[in-house]
Structures are given as C-alpha cells and as structure tokens.
Amino acid sequence: MERQRSYNGRRNIDERPKNLSQCRLQRSSSLPPVARAPPPPPPPNQLKLAAMAIDLNVRLRSADMPLAMQERAIRRARALVDANNPGITKPTQVAMCLKK
C-alpha cells in the first residue's frame, strides 16, 4: 500500500507525528553553555579619531601610522578636497599631496 502524497510530493498534514516532543533535538552534551565576555573597548584615542572621521565625512580604510599622524592626514585630506583646487581632482592626486 502506497502513502498518500500531496501535489508537491510531501506528506499530508495528517501524517505528522502527534507527539512533537519526540522530534525536537536535544543537546548531546551535558556541559553548560560558555558565556563569552564582550570585547574590550577601543582606546580613547581611537574613539576620538573615529569621531573626527565621521564628523569630517571621511572613511579611513587602513593605516599603519601613529594616531596623531592619522589625525593630521585626515584633516589635510579634507582640506584639500574642500579647497576645490583645479590641480587636485583625483584621489591619487590627493594621495600625492599628502605624501609631500
């Protein structure tokens, strides 16, 4: 005798198990869950730099320089972009000015 199939090939609702507690998965381990500590907050200087970048609408992608130098570079780059210099129109030109 064949099972009744619905139009999509699945079992009918009537064929579901009556006791759903048998279907639930249970933990295989008797160990309690491990609580993870939140990550430590960033240093205040990094928070200050992030707030300044947000305020100046600048996205810092990566940097391997001291925070004070990063702050000066962000301020200088924003000033170069805002000055509307005719010679500085592309990001590579801004980078060259910052290197100088």
Side-chain angles (χ1 to χ4, degrees):
M1 183 162 129
E2 289 187 35
R3 292 185 185 171
Q4 290 181 336
R5 299 277 180 176
S6 64
Y7 67 94
N8 61 1
R10 295 184 181 172
R11 288 188 209 168
N12 288 333
I13 294 174
D14 298 335
E15 294 181 24
R16 286 186 184 166
K18 302 296 183 206
N19 189 356
L20 294 178
S21 63
Q22 294 173 351
C23 296
R24 292 191 183 137
L25 295 175
Q26 296 192 5
R27 284 189 185 180
S28 61
S29 174
S30 61
L31 297 174
V34 178
R36 294 184 182 177
N45 291 340
Q46 286 183 347
L47 290 175
K48 178 184 170 190
L49 183 67
M52 183 191 68
I54 290 171
D55 187 42
L56 293 175
N57 196 18
V58 173
R59 182 181 0 176
L60 180 63
R61 294 197 178 192
S62 68
D64 57 349
M65 59 177 96
L67 291 174
M69 191 181 292
Q70 288 181 37
E71 183 177 347
R72 281 183 281 164
I74 288 173
R75 289 188 189 277
R76 180 69 179 141
R78 188 76 236 182
L80 287 170
V81 171
D82 289 342
N84 291 330
N85 292 334
I88 301 174
T89 57
K90 297 180 182 178
T92 53
Q93 293 168 337
V94 172
M96 289 173 58
C97 288
L98 285 175
K99 284 182 180 181
K100 285 182 182 180

